[in-house]
Amino acid sequence: MSSHGDPIPMIARKSAGLKGEAHVPGDKSISHRSLILGAMAVGETKVTGLLEGQDVLDTAKAMRAFGAEVEKRGDTWHVHGVGVGGFAEPGNVIDCGNSGTGVRLIMGAMATTPITATFTGDASLNSRPMARVTDPLALFGARAYGRKGGRLPMTIVGAEAAIPVRYATPVPSAQVKSAVLLAGLNAPGETVVIEREATRDHSERMLTGFGATVTTEETSEGRVITLTGQPELKPQTIIVPRDPSSAAFPVCAALITEGSDVLVPNIGLNPTRAGLFFTLQDMGADLTFENMREEGGEPVADLRAKFSPNLKGIEVPAERAASMIDEYPVLSVVAAFASGKTHMPGVKELRVKESDRIDAMATGLRASGVEVDEGEDWWTVHGRGFGDVPGGATVQSHLDHRIAMSFLVMGLATEAPVRVDDGGPIATSFPIFETLMTGLGADLGREA
Ligand code: S3P
């Protein structure tokens, strides 16, 4: 499945109970950061469990273009880093494909080194806002030249003599926070990021693991994260945990498909990522955390999800949004099978993801017989209850992997099949989605 090739039409049909174990791939956020921080360390970082989705492969290619050696031997990825400030000027345009995380983090990582790089992506990425990252990078002394509205393709001219920055993020975004912290690595003194709402904290944890000094303080202003610049990053051995955002798909599929009992082992429950699972429990899902333990400083559990015919619609707390921001599309599918309304406020960020996710989901849900109300930063799904969701639509994935997977999950439990115009984007984050789901007994696949 390629996000750049011909469209791959897919279909999902009502399925018998899903059974078995779902071994989902490595965490996308941690995979990008492993490669980027590995490239900025001095010496060889070894990574196992890396997500080999197109987004991460594009970041690997980019790190090579900036001078790091990145190769896979056996099951291990080896990243030979060039040190903080050691990036070479790429000889060609950096194509980050579909990945907002890739491009924004890499822009941050190169912005305080005196080199110039030009970035581009696919039609989805080239329509996404980059000013949220280039505004704070300008404070370090970097310059950005892009298309109207701060869109890619865009050239970043790195600062000659970077100065440290104190920056309060105007939107809740781990990508923006991380871009500033990565830029701060090659600035003298302390770089400070202040975020009003806590977003995923993988950068803070991993920077500390690589030997940087990072402190986080909860204050009345919000979370204040302080990085001491110009450290020597020490290479690490990283075992990438499995991705809770990918686990969401087999978990939600099991909840809405009659007779299901699925175990999804080794899923990180970092509180900045696990909001969906608590929301599903609030809705009455038969979802349990087995074998709770700690691995690499993170809470980890095996998730067991069983068919849950009596789901109830709820008010999803707005303050939980950042911890489940990628999971709203598949949550809206589960909400369609619940009784009553599920109201999801505080989610403006969904409008600037790989697609406008409120619009993409609302359109496909309505075409499948589900009523949806929406405003700029909220939406409400009117649940129809199990056994009463018509389906039968052909929906557009808009180059968005999570839209494609969400509607394929929905089709496993609707009365009529659900078709997705292009499942190609699924390869960006979950290349084994089709095999994993059919292995559990899901009736989904490519249309002839
Ligand atoms: C990510 C942050 C989130 C998320 C994306 C991955 C990251 O984006 O949607 O899939 O790895 O930092 P924002 O930071 O823009 O919310």
Side-chain angles (χ1 to χ4, degrees):
M1 289 193 260
S2 155
S3 61
H4 300 290
D6 291 334
I8 300 172
M10 292 185 74
I11 183 166
R13 298 184 183 83
K14 196 167 204 169
S15 298
L18 308 183
K19 302 266 188 211
E21 290 194 10
H23 295 269
V24 302
D27 189 281
K28 181 153 72 73
S29 294
I30 295 175
S31 294
H32 282 295
R33 287 161 173 80
S34 299
L35 295 174
I36 296 170
L37 288 173
M40 299 178 88
V42 178
E44 190 172 273
T45 287
K46 298 189 182 87
V47 190
T48 51
L50 188 88
L51 166 64
E52 294 177 2
Q54 192 57 46
D55 278 10
V56 176
L57 297 178
D58 287 336
T59 287
K61 201 166 156 208
M63 289 302 98
R64 285 188 202 111
F66 281 101
E69 283 168 33
V70 184
E71 58 169 3
K72 189 181 179 189
R73 279 182 254 136
D75 288 337
T76 305
W77 284 79
H78 298 256
V79 185
H80 205 95
V82 293
V84 168
F87 275 172
E89 190 164 85
N92 216 328
V93 173
I94 304 293
D95 187 346
C96 288
N98 190 251
S99 182
T101 307
V103 75
R104 292 183 176 130
L105 268 55
I106 296 168
M107 282 179 174
M110 59 73 59
T112 46
T113 299
I115 54 174
T116 295
T118 300
F119 296 88
T120 192
D122 68 6
S124 158
L125 187 58
N126 287 3
S127 69
R128 297 179 68 184
M130 294 297 143
R132 54 178 54 203
V133 169
T134 55
D135 285 352
L137 296 183
L139 304 175
F140 286 97
R143 281 169 292 147
Y145 304 94
R147 287 191 305 129
K148 231 195 214 139
R151 312 281 186 223
L152 302 180
M154 180 175 276
T155 296
I156 306 284
V157 181
E160 285 288 337
I163 48 170
V165 156
R166 184 179 176 88
Y167 190 70
T169 54
V171 286
S173 167
Q175 293 178 3
V176 174
K177 169 176 67 178
S178 303
V180 175
L181 291 173
L182 290 171
L185 283 174
N186 200 33
E190 290 187 339
T191 286
V192 180
V193 186
I194 303 153
E195 56 177 7
R196 227 169 303 134
E197 294 167 51
T199 64
R200 66 191 68 195
D201 60 0
H202 303 302
S203 295
E204 296 91 305
R205 289 174 188 255
M206 292 180 74
L207 279 162
T208 305
F210 272 86
T213 302
V214 182
T215 60
T216 301
E217 221 186 321
E218 306 287 346
T219 72
S220 53
E221 280 179 288
R223 268 191 179 193
V224 179
I225 302 139
T226 305
L227 168 92
T228 306
Q230 299 181 323
E232 180 173 308
L233 297 184
K234 298 185 181 45
Q236 298 299 301
T237 298
I238 299 171
I239 303 168
V240 179
R242 296 176 192 275
D243 198 327
S245 298
S246 296
F249 295 102
V251 162
C252 290
L255 299 181
I256 61 171
T257 307
E258 192 163 12
S260 295
D261 182 350
V262 169
L263 188 72
V264 191
N266 292 326
I267 301 303
L269 291 178
N270 176 324
T272 62
R273 290 291 299 281
L276 172 76
F277 304 125
F278 302 116
T279 300
L280 293 171
Q281 287 177 332
D282 291 348
M283 294 172 80
D286 189 348
L287 171 64
T288 47
F289 305 147
E290 298 182 355
N291 192 17
M292 283 283 285
R293 57 205 182 268
E294 204 168 285
E295 274 174 23
E298 303 253 5
V300 171
D302 305 333
L303 309 184
R304 184 174 292 281
K306 294 186 187 167
F307 174 54
S308 303
N310 297 313
L311 294 166
K312 304 245 172 320
I314 62 162
E315 167 89 18
V316 181
E319 58 276 12
R320 206 181 269 173
S323 70
M324 51 182 287
I325 196 66
D326 290 337
E327 282 66 73
Y328 281 93
V330 76
L331 173 65
S332 71
V333 165
V334 174
F337 292 88
S339 60
K341 292 182 215 171
T342 295
H343 180 55
M344 297 167 277
V347 292
K348 194 157 72 191
E349 280 297 296
L350 291 180
R351 299 218 177 261
V352 290
K353 294 294 178 187
E354 285 83 333
S355 67
D356 175 340
R357 286 182 170 162
I358 297 179
D359 184 61
M361 289 307 300
T363 304
L365 284 165
R366 287 178 190 130
S368 304
V370 181
E371 197 185 330
V372 182
D373 300 324
E374 60 178 293
E376 187 50 28
D377 72 342
W378 62 269
W379 50 323
T380 301
V381 173
H382 297 252
R384 296 181 60 96
F386 177 71
D388 192 29
V389 182
T394 298
V395 301
Q396 285 180 280
S397 60
H398 296 283
L399 286 178
D400 189 331
H401 52 134
R402 298 199 202 283
I403 300 301
M405 289 187 281
S406 297
F407 280 117
L408 290 170
V409 164
M410 184 165 109
L412 303 179
T414 47
E415 300 312 299
V418 172
R419 291 182 165 78
V420 170
D421 69 335
D422 183 14
I426 294 170
T428 61
S429 72
F430 201 159
I432 60 165
F433 175 77
E434 189 180 339
T435 16
L436 181 144
M437 293 300 291
T438 53
L440 296 173
D443 186 353
L444 63 78
R446 295 158 193 232
E447 278 213 288

